Amino acid sequence: LILIAIVSAVQLLYFIPTNKVEKEAIEYAQEKASKVDEASKSSTLKIAKAQYLDSISDETVLTIPGLTNYTYSDLKKRQLGFGLDLKGGMSAVLQVDLREVLVALAGSKKNDKDFVAALDRASQDLKSSSSDYITLFANAYRDIAPGKKMGKIFQRNKTLGEINNETSDGDVIKMLRTTADETVGRTFQMLKERIDRSGVVQPNVSLDATRDLILVEMPGVENTKRMEDLIQASAQLEFWDTYRISDPGVAAMFTEADKRIAASRGEEITQKMDTTYTYTYDEDGNINDSTQVIQPSVDLFGSQGPLLSKLRLNGTGGTAYYGTIMGLVNKRDIPAVKKMLRSDDVKTYFPKNSRFAFSYKPYKNVDGLLTEDYELYLIKTTTTGKAPLEGDVVIEASQQIDPVTGQPEVSLTMNSTGAKKWARMTEQAYNNGGREIAITLDSQVVSAPGVNNGAITGGRSSISGSFTIQEAVDFANILEVGKLPAKTQIIQKSIVGPSLGAKNIKSSVTSLIIGFVLLLFFMLFYYGKGGVVSIIALLANMFFIFGTLSSLGTVLTLPGIAGIVLTIGMAVDANVIIFERIREELRAGKSNLAAISDGFRASYSAIIDANVTTLLVATVLAYYGLGPIKGFAVVLIIGVLSSLLTAVLFGKLMIDGYTAGGREMSFWSGWSKNMFSNLQISWMSKRKVAYVVSGVLIVAGLASIFTQGFNLGVDFKGGYSYDIQFSNPVDQSDIKSTLAAENIFGKSPIVKTVDSDNTYQITTDYLIDDNTEGNDRLVMAKLYEGLKTIDASAPTQDNFEDSSFEGGMHVVSSSKVGPTIADDIRSSSFYAGIFALILIFLYIFIRFNKWQYSLGAVAALFHDSLIVLGLFSLLKDLMPFSLEIDQAFIAAILTVIGYSINDTVVVFDRIREYLGIYTNKEKDEILNSALSSTFSRTIITSLTTLIVVAILLVFGGSTIKGFAFALLIGILVGTYSSIFVATPIVRDLSDDLKGTVRRSNRGAGSNKSFGRAAAAAAAAQK
């Protein structure tokens, strides 16, 4: 207890120096912002604060004499961090692309038709399977090429090891798995280093090696586009020779390609015609006659078909760009132009040793402003497909300022091999008329400088590409860390704006404070001085929870706060069990000290059983959950363990310390002394009525589930989800009808009210199955096009996409869940529920030694889950908040299971005890007495938990109201089922319950303590 208190205190003290630094950063930023105009204040504040914190990140802000010094960066890494939903930012789940790894390992066999077919099937199966890619490939290859040795595909590759004709498929698969694991591991480490270098405060990067997934959380990040580029860039740096638009025949290639595309589509191109006049003159030079001639234009680009209508070629329309630029394409037309240029028919018009590449950044106009157009280049390829010079020769990269232009650039230093190749390449370009060399990063042209001053020797060079300082820093860091061993693809993404995060923090803190205060007042007025002990124990519990979470480096999220709120309610349970038992002992006539001693001793069995079952459920949730849900489970586990420590140990220490001097401690107030003490209710006689009530509720719920189904969240069905805040009042039906009328996504999206502040959630599965690069932005662009007609104050598209933008319609949060991750979430949720029930069944069977108890408990849990599911279906369109089936709902269901079994186990524990005491009574009489004696604990625990959950429902953020509603219903139903479902089922399945007596004696501790418990119970009964 002392050690944990010290650790928690130290962890929480770390906040003092960092808070001081952050206050200074805010003051510095406010001073800078006061000197700019109103329009620039917001951005200036953000930039200035970030610059200040970055400048001080490596300075010592805390010194512990004789031990160590801590910088601001060190302390931030040791603090409890806030997740995206509390701080804003971005999270992503990245799938490591192992297909390209297998292609590289196959070498010359990469075009084998069976191999390619197996790769295609594995890629398709990955969308709907939780298996890893190597396993899926192996299964597909066996089906497609039965009897064909897999080793023949990889036998020439020495990376895997020795493979010959005798190597079994099993051994080859093991080699592939080992290589894949190494590749994924290196990709994870390099990506982690890249993110650490980016300046993100307290990033959370973790590896799910079983599924080849990398989970990235970057709280506080506002420039999400920058971070997307950072985590997806493979950092494949290449240097290529280029073609020019002025090279013989190049311009004509585009016109011929344009005609070919038009012909294949059945379109006609109207040739532009020029009118010319031929004149004759008389002897004095006056015009004598004129002849009008109409003939085809000599302007090659006078006609515009499908290609040239989207591609503005260099030199047409009175425009002229840099010589190596083929033309400009608007960003919305890039996917269509790429598709046309990659078609087999069009490729024949261009040189075989060529390929197209677009610029990394938009084109700058004559005024130096970025446009929405991107440059198209035609680069010269080699026979091997490899670039003449690649980024693996770069040994150092850094951001610099060009002394001539004053613009940021990236300085490169190459090794000796790279220096020689670079000198040879630049010399050839210089001798070829100062030809341009295209420098590409992940197939995008970052820069294409001309070589005008001879060969570049020494291996030093620089890259300029209209960078900002931050982009140049990122580019340099990417190059210095190096090329990722495998590509990564975002299969799940979530972006939360800072304003939404601040709102969630406020609502969560409000929920915590109100729930905590109400709980404290109740405990104080109901249990008297004992309530004071529980209050102090609860405060200590909160202190330990936050200290432990901080020391473990946990990131606190909105579900995590919900876990803390729930823990507060459930932490009272141990106190209630103990205090109610002490009250029983006092009513039996025992002295204060004896009642306290026996009350604690008799409560341990019920407390342990109740908390172990909750821990089992939380552990299952932690294993199968992803992201915030895993965080919720971790918080719940820590909360349960901390509650045991504070209620059982710390509470006992406080009570013993108070009563050591002969003082008595009260455990009731005047009005609560005899409450629930003389209940005489025949619970078992009402079981059939309860069966009917439960049956009606379950049948109604199932009917609704099978007829109108659920509101499935994007987690479960995949798709894009956007929370849009409008500046002007709009109606939900207007949004839906406008998007449907515009046919933005091919079919009508789902539109739901999120909150009262004019915010709506729009969900669509448009293009979610298409992995084409740039689809994320295409979906966002289409959404903007559809919505800007609704809101008259619609901003630019860039501001619309900016979650930190204020003053107009904008996206406050967004998420993307690909089919792979959606299937993974569905399957993991199913397994989590099944395993939780199996573990509880086994634990109850071990503890109570009769299968009837296990079956009764699990039946009650099924009952509770079905009713909650049924109500979520019945009320899905009737509640003022969203009732979605998503990860948070699964967490709520499992929490309800844990809470319900907690209640049920306490009842079973008392039944077991009474069976050993009242050996001559009838079964129903024993069961009724056990239920009546635990009724006070059941009601008080349910009431205290309901208080905090109801506060969470009322004051919690919009994103957590559905979660809180599920808990609220679950607690009510769980309390009911412990009395009217679990115990009656045990009663109806058991002819004789006496078989549990022997285990009951052992569970009570000793025969002597059991005898005291029996005497106390007998006295209470009298």
Side-chain angles (χ1 to χ4, degrees), residues 783-849:
L783 180 65
Y784 172 72
E785 290 296 320
L787 293 180
K788 71 179 182 180
T789 60
I790 297 175
D791 196 326
S793 62
T796 63
Q797 184 173 333
D798 287 340
N799 285 335
F800 170 75
E801 296 177 9
D802 184 359
S803 58
S804 62
F805 177 70
E806 296 178 3
M809 177 184 73
H810 66 287
V811 178
V812 293
S813 70
S814 64
S815 62
K816 167 194 173 182
V817 180
T820 302
I821 202 74
D823 182 79
D824 203 18
I825 291 170
R826 287 195 301 270
S827 59
S828 63
S829 300
F830 173 77
Y831 290 131
I834 295 299
F835 277 114
L837 292 173
I838 291 173
L839 285 174
I840 287 171
F841 183 93
L842 293 175
Y843 181 79
I844 298 297
F845 181 75
I846 292 169
R847 286 292 285 154
F848 291 89
N849 203 29

Side-chain angles (χ1 to χ4, degrees), residues 130-203:
S130 57
S131 294
D132 63 275
Y133 189 82
I134 301 300
T135 302
L136 294 174
F137 164 75
N139 293 338
Y141 191 81
R142 288 193 187 109
D143 289 344
I144 292 169
K148 187 176 178 180
K149 286 276 189 178
M150 196 179 296
K152 290 185 177 181
I153 298 292
F154 304 102
Q155 64 184 0
R156 293 188 180 180
N157 191 296
K158 301 303 179 185
T159 305
L160 295 173
E162 290 297 327
I163 298 177
N164 53 46
N165 293 331
E166 303 303 318
T167 306
S168 68
D169 284 356
D171 289 338
V172 173
I173 293 169
K174 287 179 183 177
M175 294 177 186
L176 292 175
R177 183 70 260 173
T178 301
T179 302
D181 288 343
E182 291 172 354
T183 302
V184 171
R186 292 200 314 275
T187 303
F188 164 69
Q189 291 298 336
M190 294 175 73
L191 194 61
K192 191 173 187 300
E193 184 180 351
R194 189 185 288 181
I195 293 170
D196 288 340
R197 285 170 174 257
S198 71
V200 177
V201 179
Q202 291 180 292

Side-chain angles (χ1 to χ4, degrees), residues 437-494:
I437 294 176
I439 304 170
T440 65
L441 181 70
D442 295 341
S443 300
Q444 292 180 309
V445 179
V446 176
S447 181
V451 183
N452 301 316
N453 297 311
I456 300 174
T457 58
R460 294 189 63 85
S461 190
S462 61
I463 303 173
S464 59
S466 301
F467 298 121
T468 64
I469 290 178
Q470 186 62 69
E471 287 170 338
V473 170
D474 286 347
F475 190 17
N477 287 336
I478 287 172
L479 296 181
E480 196 155 72
V481 171
K483 176 186 173 184
L484 294 181
K487 291 181 181 179
T488 59
Q489 180 191 3
I490 294 178
I491 58 174
Q492 181 183 10
K493 178 178 67 175
S494 180

